[in-house]
Amino acid sequence: MKAYLFKKITQMVVVLLGITLVVFSILHLVGDPVQLLLPPSASQENVEQLREEMGFNDPLLVQYGRFLSGIFRGDFGMSYNYNQPALSVVLERVPQTLKLAGIAFLISLVIGIPTGVLSAIKQDTVTDAVIRVLSFLGQCTPSFLLGIMMMLLFSVKLKWLPTSGNDGWKNIIMPSLTLGLFSTATIIRLLRSNMIEVMEKEFIEVARAKGLKYRLIVWKHGFKNAFSSVMTVLGMQIVSLMGGAVIIETVFAWPGIGRLAVQSIRNNDFMVTETIVILMASCFVVMNLIVDLLYAVINPRVKVQ
Amino acid sequence: MKRTILLCGILSIAMLTGITGCKAKTAAETSSTPTKTELVYVESTDISTMDPRNATGTVTAGILANVFSSLVKTDENGTILPDLAESWKNINDLTWEFKLHDGIKFHDGSQLTAEDVKYTIDTIKDKNNKFRLASDFSFMDVEVVNPLTLNIITDGPFPEILLRLNYVKILPKAYVEKVGNTEFAAKPIGSGPFKFVEWRKDDRVILEANQDYFGKKPIIQKATMRVIPESAARIAALESGEVDIITKVETSQISRLQGSSSYTVTSGPTTRVMYFGINTLKKGPLQDKRVRQALNYAIDKQALITGVLDNFGKQLATISTPEYRGFDPSITPYEYNPAKAKELLAAAGYPNGLNLEISTTSGFLNGSDFVQAFASQLKDVGVNATILEEDGTVRNEKIIKATISDLYFFGFGGPYSSMDNLGKNSFGTGERYSTYNNPEFDALRKGAGAAIDTNEANKLYSQLQAYIKEDAPAIFSHQQYGIYAINTRLKDWKPRTDEMIVINDAHF
């Protein structure tokens, strides 16, 4: 187990380093923020001065080294746009995105699990067909479209919910529903197929033969087994929900890191963009590690491979 | 049983729709009562800072104009009006004397004096502070004569100084010195009609009325600026009654919005000049004046404005809108004359036409359609144009490096824009956003820009406009309009040429 853990962590560090290198190169090759930060009337002299101050005259490798050593000290540089440390700009928004993604995740569990199980035990019935069509639609409807449609219905037509912004609990309902829908559909489809597979296993037959109650068979024997493999996917779902928030946060004007990422790219705010990408990537990689370890715990054969 | 359930279902749906119908009505009724004192308006981007010395962008300028005061201000048409200064005069070509109103107070109750003005301008210019606007104000010095009188001394004649001072928001020296720049930006204090309450980044800025404002006191008691980047979401927010003013309405949405009695679409000219810049720094046909003129003759600008912009734009001849000092209406845009265009192209050695690339980016009003229609008109005179859609920041860099396409759709305007400013930044030799080098033009512009006497300035600016029309370093297109949708219950709010949202006079 120790060797396995060591291998995985080494892999993780290499991946993270690779990500910082890629992000850094792409951003710095695309453009020079100095030109765009200054008003049009600024002279070439002003440009040179600012470039020197920001360290953009150094070779890229030196800049990368500085960036990397900064990261280890928790210093991600200054945001050009907000004129404050990039990390604090990003961290300010993290709670908003976590809140949004967290509620979306809960929604997807609450709707996804019972519906997935229902779809499986009612296999090939009308109920199953309806659920399958809906979950298919849920996976392929662009969240942008869904968000706007919800806004038109619940805000413009019915006037139940505020359209956008972050000014109270009502504001989070539509964005979290929109965001949660995709992963709800994923959970339903995955759980359904796993559940169908499990329900055909011998031990279910045995349980049936023993005369156990159907509900008990479904939840205690069927679901429990089907869910363990869904669980590993759920871990990744949490992170991808945070990534998916980019679009939802823009549509619903939710002030989280997704919105910040879009804006920072538009403003050429390198440091903030880099910080967001690196934080998100780290979340992904760490989540992956956790999932791998969990898998190894659940299924010891994995370690051998 | 099933039938009863069905019936109940239908009934409840009927009731729900009925109830919401009633709700909408009551909302409309209450809105017509004059008790509403809270205004909510929407911008598509957030402000960048609350420190006026570091502020760039129109949205930021708008919020600052509500919270701070400056020596002079402008009305919605751009006419200069007194603000903190009750009068001003030229002592000589380089010295401007301003007399301040007596008894003006900052939001913390302290008195505003000439020292505060000096402090503000000195600190903007101070290189150690690294404020982004430093280079825009480096040419002026302030001399305090007495607590209510000050002189501004420029390093050369600068008649457009009032326009520029309009954007110098005066800071309370004592407070900033006490708390420091960072704390000041977090809890700014000005002397404007509204006090700053809170800035929730990327979400909203909240202001409240300043009861001790020295000018006309606002009727609105609380104002919130919300940030909604998505245009469909902005319209939904207006339609749901949450907000009263939205900006950047797409023309495709206008007829739908105007169909309702609850809101209306209002628009107005801005000081933004839209043009197709010509990269004359690139070797090739565009260095020939006849080719540039031919392109100007080839375009039916009015048809583009009517057909693509739904008339939300006004044709322009050169680098000036009617709001700029020295605008000469007798200089008319190039007429639409494709035959003449072909003739000129043939004379320049391109009887069979030529191939060009046009760069455009999102963000301009109906920009993509506009450029498409423009390109198809060029085709009629034998110019085959390929359109390149690019990211805005990437494109700006290309303009700066002069590696941009042959033609590029571009707009210039915003704070303190004037013919001098626009001419310098967009067409001045060696300027960052210019792809045109012409010392003759520079000399004309500098002369006009330095003329203090109005008659003299008008004469020189006329010459400048005639010159740039003739030399055609761009295909000048139109004056951009700002399009807003507002709730009809809102009164006395007007769009401004500088695109800022100022709410002093607005009420319900």
Side-chain angles (χ1 to χ4, degrees):
Chain A
M1 188 70 188
K2 259 187 193 160
Y4 179 73
L5 190 68
F6 179 77
K7 196 180 111 194
K8 283 285 167 191
I9 289 178
T10 318
Q11 276 173 357
M12 186 178 95
V13 171
V14 172
V15 168
L16 279 177
L17 272 179
I19 289 165
T20 57
L21 186 64
V22 170
V23 173
F24 181 87
S25 337
I26 290 178
L27 281 174
H28 286 256
L29 290 178
V30 163
D32 174 359
V34 173
Q35 293 279 10
L36 304 167
L37 280 175
L38 289 165
S41 52
S43 64
Q44 202 53 42
E45 186 196 340
N46 298 132
V47 175
E48 283 309 324
Q49 194 188 338
L50 188 62
R51 189 174 282 145
E52 186 63 44
E53 275 167 18
M54 292 185 143
F56 287 121
N57 282 338
D58 299 334
L60 269 185
L61 211 61
V62 175
Q63 290 186 51
Y64 177 66
R66 197 165 44 215
F67 176 67
L68 212 56
S69 77
I71 291 178
F72 285 114
R73 284 177 282 118
D75 173 12
F76 285 74
M78 290 290 276
S79 155
Y80 313 145
N81 197 38
Y82 292 108
N83 220 358
Q84 69 184 84
L87 188 62
S88 79
V89 171
V90 177
L91 290 181
E92 251 173 52
R93 313 295 175 92
V94 168
Q96 298 301 338
T97 300
L98 282 181
K99 202 156 91 183
L100 187 62
I103 295 178
F105 185 61
L106 275 182
I107 289 173
S108 63
L109 285 183
V110 168
I111 303 176
I113 291 177
T115 321
V117 172
L118 183 73
S119 186
I121 57 175
K122 299 265 182 190
Q123 194 190 350
D124 298 332
T125 64
V126 178
T127 317
D128 181 34
V130 170
I131 293 174
R132 285 176 72 185
V133 168
L134 285 181
S135 62
F136 176 71
L137 280 177
Q139 271 196 312
C140 63
T141 309
S143 47
F144 172 82
L145 180 74
L146 186 73
I148 300 285
M149 298 300 275
M150 286 226 274
M151 223 182 259
L152 286 179
L153 179 66
F154 294 115
S155 309
V156 177
K157 200 84 197 152
L158 300 171
K159 298 194 195 301
W160 288 350
L161 297 171
T163 51
S164 54
N166 177 20
D167 201 28
W169 63 271
K170 276 184 168 182
N171 290 75
I172 204 166
I173 298 174
M174 285 197 293
S176 54
L177 266 177
T178 317
L179 184 60
L181 195 82
F182 182 83
S183 72
T184 307
T186 313
I187 291 176
I188 292 175
R189 288 163 68 91
L190 204 69
L191 194 56
R192 180 184 176 275
S193 59
N194 279 343
M195 197 64 187
I196 288 173
E197 204 184 301
V198 171
M199 289 302 276
E200 282 165 0
K201 290 267 162 71
E202 266 175 28
F203 67 93
I204 298 283
E205 290 295 321
V206 173
R208 269 197 192 151
K210 279 203 280 185
L212 285 180
K213 273 190 188 156
Y214 186 56
R215 181 175 292 191
L216 201 70
I217 297 172
V218 169
W219 289 105
K220 193 153 181 214
H221 297 279
F223 173 72
K224 219 176 143 188
N225 279 289
F227 193 67
S228 61
S229 53
V230 175
M231 218 166 72
T232 53
V233 178
L234 286 182
M236 297 319 290
Q237 284 289 323
I238 300 177
V239 188
S240 65
L241 275 175
M242 288 178 67
V246 171
I247 295 166
I248 304 294
E249 285 178 0
T250 307
V251 173
F252 288 101
W254 185 264
I257 47 173
R259 275 271 302 285
L260 184 66
V262 173
Q263 259 177 11
S264 306
I265 292 170
R266 192 172 291 164
N267 296 337
N268 267 26
D269 200 339
F270 283 1
M271 298 308 180
V272 173
T273 316
E274 283 165 352
T275 311
I276 293 175
V277 175
I278 288 162
L279 281 186
M280 289 296 276
S282 312
C283 280
F284 251 105
V285 174
V286 170
M287 218 49 178
N288 235 324
L289 179 74
I290 293 173
V291 167
D292 278 349
L293 294 181
L294 270 180
Y295 227 89
V297 171
I298 294 169
N299 187 353
R301 272 175 299 174
V302 172
K303 274 182 287 183
V304 182
Q305 287 160 8
Chain B
M1 183 62 188
K2 266 187 181 167
R3 202 175 280 177
T4 335
I5 293 175
L6 191 70
L7 203 67
C8 284
I10 293 173
L11 267 178
S12 51
I13 290 173
M15 272 177 67
L16 270 179
T17 39
I19 287 167
T20 48
C22 287
K23 255 191 186 164
K25 213 177 222 171
T26 34
E29 273 161 17
T30 41
S31 66
S32 62
T33 55
T35 47
K36 186 173 155 61
T37 56
E38 188 185 343
L39 172 75
V40 184
Y41 66 98
V42 179
E43 294 273 16
S44 60
T45 52
D46 198 9
I47 59 170
S48 58
T49 174
M50 276 307 294
D51 187 333
R53 296 169 298 180
N54 213 11
T56 48
T58 311
V59 178
T60 314
I63 280 286
L64 296 175
N66 288 312
V67 175
F68 293 88
S69 309
S70 35
L71 289 174
V72 294
K73 61 182 177 185
T74 54
D75 66 6
E76 66 272 11
N77 302 316
T79 311
I80 305 271
L81 302 172
D83 195 9
L84 294 172
E86 58 183 14
S87 66
W88 55 87
K89 65 173 187 235
N90 264 120
I91 296 177
N92 57 50
D93 277 5
L94 304 181
T95 312
W96 297 70
E97 185 195 82
F98 291 85
K99 283 205 186 309
L100 300 178
H101 275 285
D102 197 3
I104 295 175
K105 288 193 171 117
F106 284 110
H107 297 156
D108 63 352
S110 62
Q111 186 94 9
L112 186 150
T113 69
E115 282 295 341
D116 296 301
V117 180
K118 180 171 169 57
Y119 174 78
T120 304
I121 293 178
D122 285 353
T123 50
I124 294 183
K125 288 167 49 186
D126 185 350
K127 280 194 175 139
N128 296 324
N129 284 326
K130 294 178 190 162
F131 289 130
R132 290 193 196 152
L133 294 176
S135 55
D136 281 7
F137 298 95
S138 55
F139 66 91
M140 54 174 82
D141 275 312
V142 185
E143 187 184 273
V144 175
V145 179
N146 64 47
L148 294 178
T149 313
L150 59 110
N151 290 334
I152 293 189
I153 300 144
T154 57
D155 61 9
F158 194 77
E160 298 275 17
I161 192 164
L162 296 176
L163 190 60
R164 192 154 295 197
L165 287 175
N166 172 28
Y167 290 90
V168 181
K169 303 298 170 195
I170 305 307
L171 272 53
K173 179 184 176 192
Y175 176 71
V176 186
E177 281 185 340
K178 194 177 109 196
V179 301
N181 289 343
T182 316
E183 178 68 8
F184 172 73
K187 292 195 181 99
I189 284 175
S191 54
F194 287 89
K195 294 182 194 175
F196 172 82
V197 178
E198 192 188 2
W199 173 22
R200 286 189 234 154
K201 279 183 195 136
D202 267 346
D203 187 31
R204 63 194 66 209
V205 179
I206 302 169
L207 310 175
E208 67 178 20
N210 168 19
Q211 301 303 343
D212 300 322
Y213 182 54
F214 66 95
K216 194 180 149 206
K217 289 185 181 54
I219 306 170
I220 296 290
Q221 292 304 301
K222 185 183 174 196
T224 303
M225 183 209 87
R226 287 188 45 194
V227 189
I228 306 182
E230 193 37 56
S231 85
R234 283 201 292 278
I235 291 177
L238 178 80
E239 288 184 320
S240 70
E242 275 170 51
V243 306
D244 305 296
I245 307 172
I246 60 168
T247 55
K248 299 217 164 102
V249 179
E250 288 170 353
T251 57
S252 58
Q253 298 293 329
I254 291 172
S255 59
R256 190 167 75 92
L257 286 170
Q258 276 171 335
S260 161
S261 59
S262 307
Y263 19 82
T264 183
V265 176
T266 175
S267 74
T270 70
T271 51
R272 195 166 296 275
V273 173
M274 301 302 299
Y275 59 86
F276 285 85
I278 298 177
N279 188 355
T280 64
L281 301 180
K282 193 169 141 184
K283 290 242 175 318
L286 294 170
Q287 291 189 318
D288 189 328
K289 184 165 94 180
R290 289 168 296 184
V291 176
R292 300 198 297 263
Q293 288 176 336
L295 296 179
N296 269 288
Y297 280 117
I299 302 298
D300 186 352
K301 294 161 193 166
Q302 193 52 52
L304 291 179
I305 292 168
T306 314
V308 185
L309 301 183
D310 296 319
N311 279 320
F312 288 101
K314 200 191 281 169
Q315 201 177 345
L316 286 179
T318 66
I319 51 174
S320 183
T321 76
E323 289 75 17
Y324 289 171
R325 180 175 193 245
F327 173 72
D328 186 347
S330 73
I331 294 167
T332 54
Y334 275 90
E335 51 165 339
Y336 174 51
N337 191 342
K340 181 124 190 207
K342 281 184 192 164
E343 214 175 275
L344 280 165
L345 281 175
Y350 304 96
N352 302 318
L354 65 152
N355 297 324
L356 293 177
E357 189 180 72
I358 310 178
S359 160
T360 185
T361 186
S362 60
F364 299 121
L365 178 67
N366 299 358
S368 178
D369 295 343
F370 196 84
V371 175
Q372 290 281 354
F374 175 88
S376 76
Q377 289 192 356
L378 284 184
K379 209 173 181 94
D380 294 342
V381 298
V383 176
N384 288 315
T386 32
I387 297 170
L388 185 65
E389 285 256 6
E390 290 178 286
D391 170 67
T393 46
V394 171
R395 213 174 76 114
N396 283 352
E397 287 231 26
K398 285 191 180 175
I399 296 174
I400 291 169
K401 289 181 187 150
T403 54
I404 189 82
S405 311
D406 306 301
L407 306 180
Y408 52 99
F409 192 38
F410 203 68
F412 201 97
Y416 42 82
S417 199
S418 63
M419 228 190 297
D420 180 27
N421 196 36
L422 198 158
K424 173 175 179 282
N425 292 329
S426 291
F427 300 99
T429 304
E431 292 295 331
R432 291 161 58 234
Y433 281 85
S434 162
T435 52
Y436 177 61
N437 282 353
N438 185 341
E440 259 180 72
F441 169 78
D442 296 335
L444 266 174
R445 178 191 59 77
K446 279 182 194 150
I452 299 272
D453 176 69
T454 305
N455 287 332
E456 163 101 12
N458 286 346
K459 206 178 83 195
L460 292 170
Y461 272 126
S462 279
Q463 284 175 19
L464 183 74
Q465 288 163 84
Y467 186 88
I468 201 160
K469 181 186 168 185
E470 162 75 15
D471 207 45
I475 302 156
F476 295 103
S477 178
H478 62 277
Q479 178 174 21
Q480 180 167 290
Y481 274 40
I483 308 179
Y484 306 83
I486 60 170
N487 197 310
T488 42
R489 64 190 171 187
L490 184 70
K491 308 278 182 293
D492 290 337
W493 179 83
K494 292 188 198 88
R496 295 169 57 93
T497 50
D498 57 17
E499 300 166 75
M500 301 194 306
I501 293 195
V502 175
I503 49 176
N504 304 29
D505 299 331
H507 61 93
F508 291 99

